[in-house]
Amino acid sequence: MPAYAIEGLTVAFAGAEAERPALSGVGFQVGAGELLVVLGRTGSGKTTLLRVMAGLQKAAAGRILEDGGGQAAPMDISLLPPHRRDMAMVFQNFSLYPNMTVRENLAFPLRAKAMGLSAHEIETRVAQAAETLALTDKFDRRPNELSGGELQRVAIGRALVRRPKLFLMDEPLASLDAKLRERMVLEIRRLQRSLGCGMIYVTHDHVEAMSLADRILVLDKGKVLQAGPPGDIYRHPVDSRVARMLGRPGINILTHEEAGRMGLPLSEKRLVGIRPESWKVTADAKGPAVAAVVEHLGPQMALVLDVQGIVLRVTAPPVLRAKAGDRFRLGVDPAEILYLDR
Amino acid sequence: MSVQSGSKTAPVRAVFLAAYAMISLAPVCYMVLTGFKLPADTAALPPRFLPGLTAPENSFWFRFTLGNFQRILADAETLRYLFNSVFVSVCSTVLSVAVGSLAGYGFSRFPFRGGRDALFFVLSTRMLPPLAVAVPISFMYSRLGILDTRFGLILLYTCFNLSFTTWMMKAFIDEIPTAYEEAAMLDGHSRLEALLRVVLPQAAPGIAATAVFSLISAWNEYAFALTLTSTDAVTMPVRIHAIIGDNSAIPWGPLSAAASLFLLPIVFFGLAMRKHLIRGVTFGAVKG
């Protein structure tokens, strides 16, 4: 079996929002050493999912099965308190202990009774983690003397010193600037690979999701919409909600009628989805598409085209010289058209 | 209140504060001085407040003597009562702050049906005047055989102070985000360990403030001490009252000396805790 199998997790909201559960019947698996990204908008239930995994919140129904190893039967850990689960979590706001230095923060998980480590071992492991994350010179600082990126690294360090079986990451990069975020994504990927542990990484950022994930789990309003490798989800989204979540500029979703008007091949399904990069754009003074907006993004150009009242987002190689008001002809490979029910 | 340097109101404030300090400290200073006086000087008019070797008629000078303090300090009974006061106050403070912290944490983190009512009930134990319950309690203590014991007083003061240590600690712990203890639990620590190693260290200023109030209330308690003790467990407030005696001439010198000695420990404790008291509730918030 996979390292973890989650079955039918249901969590009710407390109080006024009780009409809709925070999670309803969520099921998925995490393989050993797999990096699973949970992608969802604010309020989709992704943080709740992580808290239930960690044991910080109780599920009304469902099981969390952990592989017992070897021939042992899988064990339902959903009733274990957080400290009895072999998991570490990096919180969105870091939650470093303000009354402790960086060194003490890193050593804190190792001081847990269950670890049974000697002072010397603790020191070695803390030094190792600090080395990996380039924190050695910040050892005696307190969290309020660190920058956002440093806080982030300490938080990750604190999670990894214990070498847990599963990492839980709750939008750990959300509060960092774009440049740092890009670097940390690579760093997290590298760390996770080298540790060979499983990871559930929660984010609302599709770029982060695509670049990190072995598999993506798309969550919306407490339900799993789709799960699979990033490429599969991108190419074969189950519906327009999933399709819209991945890719920037976003996918063009046309109704049956609009697609017909543009002369695209149709199917019996209600919606037609075409990714911006699927269009082949050719300059043509008599073409039906008029450029409304032209953006030069460097590696590519993003155009907003108007085709008889239908607004399309299209990307094109930068060799195409275009300015607003230019006319174009559009083509698309039928194999790249997505037909969606809803 | 902070005096802002450079602002126009600063001198006015300084004068106001100095005047206020003098008004409030004057009786205390006069009490301490009276502790160094001979009986003839204590009730003299005009008041004598300058210590000297001789005391001329109609002057502000009094004859300085250490006799009162020597008498008090040489009196084994008074010293034992002073020790009783220290022992009972410290033990009951430690206990009531410890239990109050646990209770406050529980009320803060585990809201339950009727929790607010329970909290109010806890407070209501403080609404009765002590003397109204002193007699029944003394009967109970008598049956339990803990009348006139330090243990009995510690138990009573702990319970009595528990109401407001619970309330204060709840308020302080409410200010500490749950994120820290959640992190600690995911770092492999049980909830109790998380409380002891992460939550309470952050509540240190709150604990200090709570301890000061608890200590002062136990230190100054008179009604219960009077009814529940007779010889062994008598505390200083009762002793000081006994010094006044029932004859018409109040022995001002010994009385002031005893009161001054009684004042010292609590003043030192207050000074030691001052830093925390001023820091108050400005705990580190979760950054993010």
Side-chain angles (χ1 to χ4, degrees):
Chain A
M1 79 166 267
Y4 291 92
I6 286 80
E7 296 172 356
L9 276 190
T10 299
V11 174
F13 268 124
E17 295 164 278
E19 76 278 5
R20 180 172 74 76
L23 293 176
S24 59
V26 170
F28 60 94
Q29 301 184 335
V30 189
E34 184 183 40
L35 203 165
L36 177 78
V37 172
V38 178
L39 179 66
R41 279 187 274 269
T42 311
S44 60
K46 53 195 196 307
T47 296
T48 306
L49 174 61
L50 218 51
R51 291 175 60 83
V52 171
M53 287 299 294
L56 296 173
Q57 209 169 325
K58 280 204 179 73
R63 301 197 297 172
I64 303 170
L65 297 174
E66 184 184 342
D67 184 13
Q71 298 300 310
M75 184 172 55
D76 185 2
I77 60 164
S78 53
L79 292 177
L80 288 183
H83 67 281
R84 302 269 303 281
R85 304 182 183 195
D86 197 1
M87 300 178 187
M89 185 154 166
V90 176
F91 294 82
Q92 187 174 359
N93 51 23
F94 310 138
S95 299
L96 296 178
Y97 310 119
N99 54 326
M100 302 183 197
T101 63
V102 168
R103 185 200 304 270
E104 290 162 347
N105 263 285
L106 290 175
F108 191 70
L110 301 174
R111 299 226 162 94
K113 281 201 197 86
M115 297 295 291
L117 293 178
S118 71
H120 176 72
E121 278 173 293
I122 291 177
E123 207 173 307
T124 317
R125 281 228 216 161
V126 167
Q128 218 178 331
E131 188 88 23
T132 315
L133 293 159
L135 285 167
T136 313
D137 55 330
K138 307 278 191 276
F139 249 177
D140 295 312
R141 303 267 180 96
R142 282 181 195 269
N144 59 7
E145 300 167 318
L146 299 178
S147 70
E150 287 161 353
L151 288 173
Q152 157 78 50
R153 297 210 303 274
V154 179
I156 291 178
R158 188 177 65 177
L160 69 82
V161 279
R162 233 178 69 209
R163 298 172 196 158
K165 196 165 159 193
L166 186 66
F167 272 109
L168 306 171
M169 311 280 256
D170 187 8
E171 306 213 32
L173 306 182
S175 59
L176 303 185
D177 63 67
K179 212 169 156 189
L180 196 54
R181 198 155 60 214
E182 209 170 295
R183 220 179 63 210
M184 286 310 295
V185 163
L186 297 174
E187 192 67 7
I188 288 172
R189 179 84 249 200
R190 192 184 61 74
L191 274 172
Q192 185 265 343
R193 279 278 154 78
S194 66
L195 294 169
C197 54
M199 184 184 286
I200 301 181
Y201 186 105
V202 156
T203 184
H204 66 270
D205 183 320
H206 70 285
V207 178
E208 246 171 71
M210 294 293 279
S211 44
L212 274 171
D214 291 319
R215 271 189 323 129
I216 292 179
L217 185 81
V218 183
L219 206 60
D220 188 59
K221 292 179 182 158
K223 290 193 175 123
V224 176
L225 295 184
Q226 193 173 2
D232 284 7
I233 294 190
Y234 188 77
R235 282 189 300 272
H236 309 293
V238 289
D239 61 22
S240 62
R241 286 174 296 175
V242 178
R244 281 202 170 98
M245 242 182 254
L246 296 174
R248 227 24 107 243
I251 193 168
N252 300 289
I253 304 281
L254 305 175
T255 61
H256 207 272
E257 181 267 331
E258 287 172 326
R261 204 140 43 97
M262 288 190 61
L264 295 168
L266 298 172
S267 81
E268 72 282 8
K269 301 203 172 174
R270 282 181 48 234
L271 299 174
V272 177
I274 301 168
R275 295 273 176 202
E277 68 274 18
S278 299
W279 297 101
K280 282 173 193 64
V281 190
T282 340
D284 183 345
K286 293 196 190 80
V290 185
V293 180
V294 178
E295 286 177 89
H296 296 268
L297 300 177
Q300 63 178 20
M301 270 168 74
L303 309 173
V304 178
L305 299 178
D306 186 319
V307 186
Q308 297 146 29
I310 304 166
V311 175
L312 296 176
R313 278 159 297 182
V314 173
T315 57
V319 288
L320 184 86
R321 286 160 191 279
K323 59 183 188 303
D326 285 358
R327 297 188 83 91
F328 300 94
R329 193 153 33 83
L330 290 173
V332 63
D333 179 352
E336 292 190 33
I337 300 177
L338 304 170
Y339 295 99
L340 305 165
D341 276 323
R342 45 178 294 199
Chain B
M1 203 191 300
S2 69
V3 178
Q4 289 163 352
S5 56
S7 83
K8 278 181 185 169
T9 57
V12 182
R13 284 195 201 187
V15 168
F16 176 80
L17 285 176
Y20 177 74
M22 275 174 73
I23 291 168
S24 52
L25 281 177
V28 179
C29 293
Y30 196 70
M31 178 187 80
V32 174
L33 287 175
T34 304
F36 293 104
K37 289 177 188 173
L38 290 170
D41 290 330
T42 53
L45 278 173
R48 307 184 161 196
F49 46 83
L50 298 173
L53 292 174
T54 56
E57 279 294 303
N58 287 327
S59 73
F60 295 125
W61 295 91
F62 67 86
R63 192 154 155 237
F64 183 86
T65 175
L66 289 170
N68 297 321
F69 282 92
Q70 277 167 350
R71 228 180 85 194
I72 297 288
L73 290 172
D75 179 15
E77 256 196 353
T78 306
L79 287 185
R80 190 152 56 90
Y81 297 161
L82 191 60
F83 171 75
N84 282 347
S85 266
V86 172
F87 187 76
V88 167
S89 308
V90 169
C91 288
S92 69
T93 296
V94 168
L95 282 172
S96 64
V97 171
V99 178
S101 299
L102 292 175
Y105 180 79
F107 277 117
S108 173
R109 296 302 196 241
F110 301 97
F112 57 95
R113 184 187 284 268
R116 292 176 66 92
D117 299 324
L119 208 53
F120 185 76
F121 174 73
V122 166
L123 191 67
S124 70
T125 58
R126 241 190 136 72
M127 294 175 185
L128 276 176
L131 278 173
V133 290
V135 172
I137 286 177
S138 93
F139 280 128
M140 286 192 265
Y141 268 36
S142 161
R143 276 293 181 86
L144 290 168
I146 54 173
L147 208 54
D148 198 19
T149 62
R150 289 192 286 257
F151 171 78
L153 278 189
I154 291 170
L155 183 70
L156 189 71
Y157 291 173
T158 301
C159 296
F160 201 64
N161 276 337
L162 203 50
S163 57
F164 93 104
T165 56
T166 302
W167 271 73
M168 276 186 80
M169 287 313 296
K170 178 191 180 291
F172 284 115
I173 290 170
D174 279 344
E175 295 286 314
I176 301 170
T178 55
Y180 296 122
E181 66 222 62
E182 290 182 343
M185 288 192 280
L186 275 158
D187 280 345
H189 299 266
S190 68
R191 186 174 278 279
L192 183 65
E193 287 170 312
L195 171 66
L196 294 179
R197 297 167 100 161
V198 173
V199 180
L200 291 185
Q202 287 184 68
I207 293 174
T210 309
V212 167
F213 285 116
S214 178
L215 191 79
I216 290 173
S217 116
W219 186 252
N220 291 335
E221 205 287 325
Y222 174 71
F224 284 125
L226 184 69
T227 34
L228 299 179
T229 66
S230 48
T231 51
D232 293 348
V234 174
T235 56
M236 273 305 269
V238 178
R239 178 62 184 165
I240 288 174
H241 187 245
I243 292 175
I244 297 174
D246 32 1
N247 42 355
S248 52
I250 296 171
W252 287 110
L255 181 65
S256 300
S260 303
L261 284 175
F262 179 66
L263 199 65
L264 275 181
I266 204 84
V267 167
F268 278 121
F269 184 72
L271 286 177
M273 291 291 148
R274 193 175 52 164
K275 196 184 89 190
H276 291 305
L277 287 175
I278 291 169
R279 244 184 82 197
V281 240
T282 53
F283 300 141
V286 176
K287 196 165 177 173

